[in-house]
């Protein structure tokens, strides 16, 4: 009898230990929101290399992501007031009261097979604002320099030129982007101090923004001072 009682106590303690899991807060960015199903997908980290992304790799399990089921009356805190205010690209912290498994999935799963993502039901959801460091980090490159033109002028054909000058075109930038509109979600315009009535040219290296101007001549002169990678 005492032996059975001891076994029951051990089992009870094990069950109690399993149920008392400390809440964990997982931070990431909202990849997609389904307002009808009351779900959204959180992208925690993408470990695909730049080359793998360029090669459109879909079978590499290098992306940490999960799906969230939201209760109807759940409060969303921080930058927004409700689930209906959630948008793609927002930074979010999802608190869950169960064991979190940082499972890696493929690019194909993230884009096309959400049913294969791990699913969690949160105890709270908090949308946090982007910082200047967050926005700058997205502009930095693995090596060399990246050139970004915000609010570019269109050419005679109504299109945007990939590079603002022949000097830029002849320099081996690691990354070149033309951004015709900025996201309100990130508050990019204010955080980067973009010019209102003219294009803003920004160059970033591996760590920070090294140049910003709305003057094309200044841009060309600065590019001439950059060392070309070996």
């Amino acid at each position: 009898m005492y032996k059975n009682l001891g076994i029951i106590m051990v089992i009870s303690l094990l069950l109690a230990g399993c149920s008392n899991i400390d809440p964990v807060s997982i931070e990431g960015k909202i990849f997609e929101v389904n307002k009808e199903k009351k779900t959204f997908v959180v992208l925690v980290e993408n470990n695909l290399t730049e080359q793998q992304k360029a090669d459109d790799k879909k079978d590499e399990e290098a992306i940490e992501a999960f799906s969230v089921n939201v209760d109807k009356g759940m409060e969303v805190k921080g930058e927004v007031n409700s689930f209906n205010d959630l948008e793609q690209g927002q930074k979010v912290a999802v608190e869950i009261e169960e064991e979190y498994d940082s499972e890696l999935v493929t690019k194909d799963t993230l884009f096309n097979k959400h049913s294969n993502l791990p699913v969690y039901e949160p105890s709270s959801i908090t949308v946090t604002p982007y910082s200047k460091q967050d926005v700058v980090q997205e502009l930095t490159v693995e090596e060399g320099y990246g050139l970004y033109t915000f609010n570019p002028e269109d050419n005679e054909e109504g299109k945007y030129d990939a590079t603002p000058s022949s000097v830029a075109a002849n320099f081996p930038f690691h990354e070149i982007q033309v951004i015709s509109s900025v996201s309100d979600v990130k508050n990019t315009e204010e955080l980067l101090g973009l010019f209102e009535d003219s294009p803003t040219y920004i160059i970033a290296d591996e760590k920070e923004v090294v140049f910003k101007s709305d003057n094309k001549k200044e841009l060309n002169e600065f590019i001439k001072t950059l060392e070309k990678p070996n």
Side-chain angles (χ1 to χ4, degrees):
M1 176 178 176
Y2 290 109
K3 183 178 179 180
N4 291 338
L5 182 59
I7 293 173
I8 292 172
M9 290 179 66
V10 169
I11 293 173
S12 298
L13 288 171
L14 288 173
L15 290 174
C18 291
S19 61
N20 292 329
I21 297 175
D22 292 332
V24 292
S25 181
I26 311 299
E27 297 182 354
K29 296 177 185 176
I30 295 179
F31 180 78
E32 185 175 289
V33 183
N34 190 318
K35 299 291 178 70
E36 184 178 341
K37 294 183 178 180
K38 299 284 284 187
T39 64
F40 64 92
V41 174
V42 177
L43 173 61
V44 180
E45 191 171 4
N46 189 343
N47 293 315
L48 286 169
T49 66
E50 293 298 324
Q51 186 61 48
Q52 287 172 329
K53 292 175 184 177
D55 292 342
D56 196 28
K57 291 282 187 181
K58 293 186 177 182
D59 56 353
E60 299 281 351
E61 291 189 342
I63 301 170
E64 183 180 347
F66 61 93
S67 182
V68 179
N69 286 340
V70 181
D71 288 338
K72 211 169 191 180
M74 173 166 287
E75 178 187 8
V76 180
K77 300 180 290 185
E79 291 285 284
V80 301
N81 299 316
S82 70
F83 172 82
N84 289 329
D85 295 327
L86 295 181
E87 296 182 47
Q88 184 180 30
Q90 287 173 331
K91 283 179 61 180
V92 65
V94 179
E95 185 174 280
I96 57 175
E97 295 181 351
E98 56 184 297
E99 186 174 352
Y100 174 75
D101 183 8
S102 53
E103 182 177 339
L104 299 181
V105 300
T106 64
K107 187 175 179 180
D108 189 43
T109 296
L110 179 65
F111 279 90
N112 305 313
K113 300 176 181 176
H114 291 171
S115 60
N116 292 342
L117 290 169
V119 181
Y120 295 96
E121 295 184 1
S123 54
S124 72
I125 301 167
T126 304
V127 176
T128 57
Y130 278 79
S131 66
K132 182 177 180 180
Q133 183 179 358
D134 292 329
V135 176
V136 170
Q137 184 63 37
E138 293 185 353
L139 301 180
T140 58
V141 293
E142 292 183 357
E143 59 181 355
Y145 301 93
L147 171 63
Y148 306 89
T149 304
F150 290 87
N151 301 321
E153 295 175 336
D154 53 2
N155 57 28
E156 295 177 355
E157 299 175 354
K159 299 178 180 179
Y160 301 120
D161 293 323
T163 51
S165 68
S166 59
V167 176
N170 292 329
F171 187 87
F173 283 104
H174 182 78
E175 178 85 20
I176 296 177
Q177 286 188 30
V178 176
I179 304 161
S180 58
S181 62
V182 293
S183 171
D184 292 332
V185 168
K186 297 179 182 178
N187 199 20
T188 302
E189 188 171 337
E190 181 178 338
L191 292 175
L192 291 182
L194 302 181
F195 296 95
E196 293 183 5
D197 301 322
S198 61
T200 302
Y201 307 112
I202 288 179
I203 296 176
D205 61 12
E206 298 97 330
K207 298 179 180 179
E208 60 188 355
V209 169
V210 295
F211 175 84
K212 184 183 77 172
S213 176
D214 63 343
N215 188 297
K216 191 177 294 186
K217 182 178 179 181
E218 291 179 0
L219 171 69
N220 293 335
E221 292 302 318
F222 182 81
I223 293 175
K224 291 176 184 177
T225 68
L226 298 177
E227 292 186 10
K228 295 184 178 181
N230 297 326

